[in-house]
Amino acid sequence: MNETATLKVEGMTCTGCEQRLGVALHRLEGVYEATANHRTGQVRVRFDPTVTGPEAFAERIVTAGYQVTGQSEVSP
Ligand SMILES: [Cu+2]
């Protein structure tokens, strides 16, 4: 079972930020894949909704030093 969450993130300035965030999110249990784009400010996470979800991703992103803006979208 998997879903994809899209979050709007502020504070990423380069590909280093993308990688750092991607790795940080991928470490969370239940995350299959995480990609970040500093140009669009979008972070996409494919995850198992029985294990984790957007609140955990937002918390992780803030801990990494970035800001989450707006609502995250979840699609199957
Ligand atoms: Cu950077």
Side-chain angles (χ1 to χ4, degrees):
M1 187 174 195
N2 73 78
E3 290 181 350
T4 301
T6 305
L7 297 97
K8 265 286 189 189
V9 175
E10 270 178 20
M12 290 189 289
T13 54
C14 68
T15 55
C17 294
E18 296 173 351
Q19 279 184 347
R20 192 167 338 135
L21 256 195
V23 168
L25 289 164
H26 195 219
R27 276 202 199 109
L28 289 173
E29 200 183 337
V31 171
Y32 301 125
E33 189 180 15
T35 55
N37 185 317
H38 81 278
R39 291 178 208 284
T40 61
Q42 270 199 349
V43 173
R44 279 169 172 266
V45 186
R46 206 158 54 78
F47 65 100
D48 180 344
T50 65
V51 177
T52 189
E55 298 82 15
F57 309 151
E59 198 178 298
R60 196 68 196 80
I61 290 166
V62 170
T63 300
Y66 305 96
Q67 300 87 49
V68 178
T69 60
Q71 284 281 74
S72 53
E73 284 173 32
V74 177
S75 55

